[in-house]
Amino acid sequence: MQPREIRLAAAAALLVMAAGGLAGCASAVFNSATNEPLSATTPPNMGAPTDFMRENSIVLSFSGGGLRAAAFAHGVLTALESVKTEDGDLLDDVARINSVSGSSLTAAYYGVNGRDGLARFRDEVLLPGFEGRMRLSLFSPLNLSRMLSGGLNTRENFGDALDHKVFHGATFADIFRRQRTDIRINATDLYHRVGFPFMPSLFSVLCSDLSRYSVADAVAASMAVPVLFAPVVVRTFPESCEPLPAELAALRPQPEGSRVLNAILKALAAYRDPKHVRFIKLADGGLTDNVAVSTMTLSRLALGTPYAPLTEREAVKIRRLLLIVVDASRGPNGDWTLQQIGPSGVDQALSATDAAVDAAARYAADAFGGMIKEWQDAVIGFRCGLTPDDVVRLGGPAQWSCSDVKFSLAYLAIDELESPVRERIEAIPTRLTLDAEQVDAAIEAAREGTLGLHRLRAYLQDRVPSTR
């Protein structure tokens, strides 16, 4: 999420607007939809590769938290790059990155540029920051009117900088061509109140071509805090629709099923109905899951196979899987717990919003953690039910043991770092511009925290020789 200081001022501005009756003179502020329909030239699966998992695989889930989260995520990646293995280094093992909000900047940059971009990311992206082109004067009549009528900032204030200075016009086709790491950028569908991951299967429901969609727009959507930013808009193209993929077409809401999954299935059905949805309004992905794990949990629940969200081939290949949830969000702050008076009405409103976001993130993390052992056992059961011919068909190696599978889960959170590093990082605001000292402190804390993870050391010891 974005800086509490700006959000506080934004909330105060809304109160001023409500009292001042500015709605009557406000003109609409919005972002135009930039996604394109499916066409005859759209490649299968929009050009996205599948089967990212290898014998030794790491999955990263990065939280929101402004530029601080982006720097923290960068520190995790560089830490993994520094750990050598007999096959290369641990960055080679990263098969998927899930991200929301500020960390989507890091995930997308790595997706477009690969490890070559890691050396440039600090100087070219983190240090310049983004607030220079943004509207931050919250109490001018024009800005108050903009906030009331759609959002303080639009693409010209933020998305254009991302597109021109960071991603240089890259589309998802540029990420897909690397075929090394699955990048899952997540936003929130404001109307249906569900997560919106930028992935080919979802865009096939919209009858839209993700391969031609701007990476900058996806990152802007993932970071679009309501009111501070106008929603990023994605449109549906019912006139370009083809039948849904079989695995999606078979899904239906179940009266006794998961409430979260049912809400998502209802949203998917609405996306295909032009009488209900033509334009989807996207905001910060942290609103629905600020630790970016729900897509994996819900994929497992929705697809119903013993190996989901893995594919069959991935389930046969995988032997060691480490999932790391990285939480760079900001915890409780302020001094109103030290006195009887307070909090103010604005602080109450903001704390209520923070409580809702944090509670959703905790439930998502708990659900994710609870599925790991069951998932591992289900994968083993699936593998041990295969015939030797099945193993060969699915790409299994010559020397293969069906039960040789181990999944583990690690958490890296700022509020669990050792003192005084924890206090130093917690003091860094969740802004979109930080000074060099703050950026470097966040990167170094993430590096040290990652390398100190017990589960990472155990994964390194258990790691198996690659058959590549």
Side-chain angles (χ1 to χ4, degrees):
M1 304 294 284
Q2 298 303 319
R4 183 175 178 84
E5 293 84 357
I6 292 180
R7 291 164 53 226
L8 181 63
L14 287 176
L15 295 177
V16 173
M17 286 188 284
L22 293 174
C25 61
S27 58
V29 176
F30 64 95
N31 291 301
S32 298
T34 60
N35 61 310
E36 300 181 37
L38 291 169
S39 70
T41 61
T42 301
N45 200 41
M46 302 177 198
T50 57
D51 303 328
F52 289 92
M53 297 292 179
R54 300 170 282 278
E55 290 168 292
N56 304 289
S57 291
I58 295 175
V59 172
L60 302 172
S61 291
F62 290 143
S63 80
L67 215 62
R68 181 180 70 171
F72 203 77
H74 178 63
V76 173
L77 294 177
T78 56
L80 295 176
E81 185 184 36
S82 72
V83 181
K84 305 304 178 184
T85 69
E86 61 185 25
D87 308 312
D89 57 53
L90 287 183
L91 191 61
D92 289 323
D93 288 2
V94 176
R96 175 177 293 172
I97 300 176
N98 308 300
S99 67
V100 296
S101 199
S103 68
S104 290
L105 186 62
T106 310
Y109 194 85
Y110 179 70
V112 170
N113 298 285
R115 66 169 62 235
D116 292 341
L118 289 181
R120 305 192 304 267
F121 186 69
R122 173 189 178 273
D123 293 341
E124 294 186 3
V125 181
L126 294 176
L127 292 187
F130 299 94
E131 292 181 8
R133 295 184 59 178
M134 290 172 54
R135 294 176 179 269
L136 298 175
S137 178
L138 299 169
F139 294 99
S140 73
L142 175 59
N143 284 354
L144 292 176
S145 177
R146 288 178 63 88
M147 292 170 67
L148 184 63
S149 58
L152 186 58
N153 293 283
T154 57
R155 194 183 200 277
E156 65 182 11
N157 308 113
F158 181 50
D160 282 352
L162 288 176
D163 199 24
H164 299 151
K165 296 184 177 181
V166 177
F167 298 111
H168 306 290
T171 66
F172 274 81
D174 295 298
I175 293 179
F176 297 158
R177 272 192 287 271
R178 288 197 167 270
Q179 301 191 1
R180 186 66 187 171
T181 304
D182 188 13
I183 304 296
R184 296 281 178 89
I185 299 168
N186 295 271
T188 294
D189 174 347
L190 281 176
Y191 183 84
H192 292 96
R193 307 169 195 172
V194 296
F196 187 98
F198 286 87
M199 50 194 295
S201 57
L202 178 53
F203 268 62
S204 69
V205 177
L206 312 182
C207 311
S208 180
D209 186 352
L210 180 60
S211 69
R212 292 188 283 169
Y213 190 66
S214 164
V215 173
D217 283 355
V219 173
S222 185
M223 299 176 69
V225 173
V227 181
L228 292 180
F229 294 93
V232 171
V233 180
V234 171
R235 69 166 299 172
T236 64
F237 296 95
E239 65 280 358
S240 302
C241 278
E242 297 178 354
L244 283 173
E247 65 270 18
L248 290 178
L251 298 176
R252 296 286 187 278
Q254 301 296 323
E256 304 302 323
S258 161
R259 298 292 91 192
V260 176
L261 180 57
N262 281 350
I264 291 172
L265 295 177
K266 290 174 182 177
L268 294 179
Y271 296 162
R272 274 285 170 124
D273 185 350
K275 295 181 180 179
H276 288 88
V277 175
R278 292 304 302 265
F279 297 97
I280 303 167
K281 313 301 173 64
L282 302 177
D284 194 308
L287 296 172
T288 43
D289 174 12
N290 203 36
V291 288
V293 297
S294 292
T295 300
M296 293 186 66
T297 308
L298 292 167
S299 294
R300 175 153 185 75
L301 185 62
L303 297 177
T305 65
Y307 45 80
L310 301 177
T311 65
E312 278 188 307
R313 297 182 68 86
E314 288 177 326
V316 169
K317 287 181 183 178
I318 196 74
R319 294 176 67 186
R320 302 292 179 266
L321 175 61
L322 173 64
L323 304 108
I324 306 177
V325 177
V326 180
D327 186 0
S329 61
R330 193 176 191 187
N333 56 88
D335 61 1
W336 40 269
T337 58
L338 300 176
Q339 51 195 348
Q340 182 167 259
I341 63 171
S344 67
V346 172
D347 268 332
Q348 289 182 55
L350 292 175
S351 293
T353 301
D354 289 340
V357 169
D358 288 350
R362 293 184 193 118
Y363 283 125
D366 286 347
F368 184 64
M371 87 172 194
I372 301 300
K373 180 62 165 61
E374 178 274 331
W375 184 21
Q376 172 191 285
D377 293 344
V379 168
I380 292 173
F382 164 74
R383 288 162 56 104
C384 291
L386 296 174
T387 67
D389 287 344
D390 289 332
V391 175
V392 172
R393 174 178 59 84
L394 295 171
Q399 301 298 321
W400 189 77
S401 170
C402 68
S403 61
D404 185 21
V405 175
K406 184 175 182 180
F407 293 178
S408 57
L409 174 64
Y411 291 97
L412 175 62
I414 287 177
D415 65 1
E416 295 176 0
L417 296 175
E418 295 292 331
S419 182
V421 174
R422 180 183 66 252
E423 290 83 2
R424 184 181 182 189
I425 306 306
E426 284 181 337
I428 299 174
T430 52
R431 299 185 64 90
L432 288 180
T433 293
L434 299 175
D435 62 40
E437 183 179 356
Q438 292 170 326
V439 167
D440 290 339
I443 292 173
E444 186 56 32
R447 284 177 54 86
E448 292 180 4
T450 301
L451 297 176
L453 288 173
H454 169 73
R455 292 287 173 85
L456 181 70
R457 295 195 297 269
Y459 168 84
L460 191 60
Q461 290 179 337
D462 290 340
R463 200 175 174 279
V464 297
S466 174
T467 59
R468 285 178 291 164

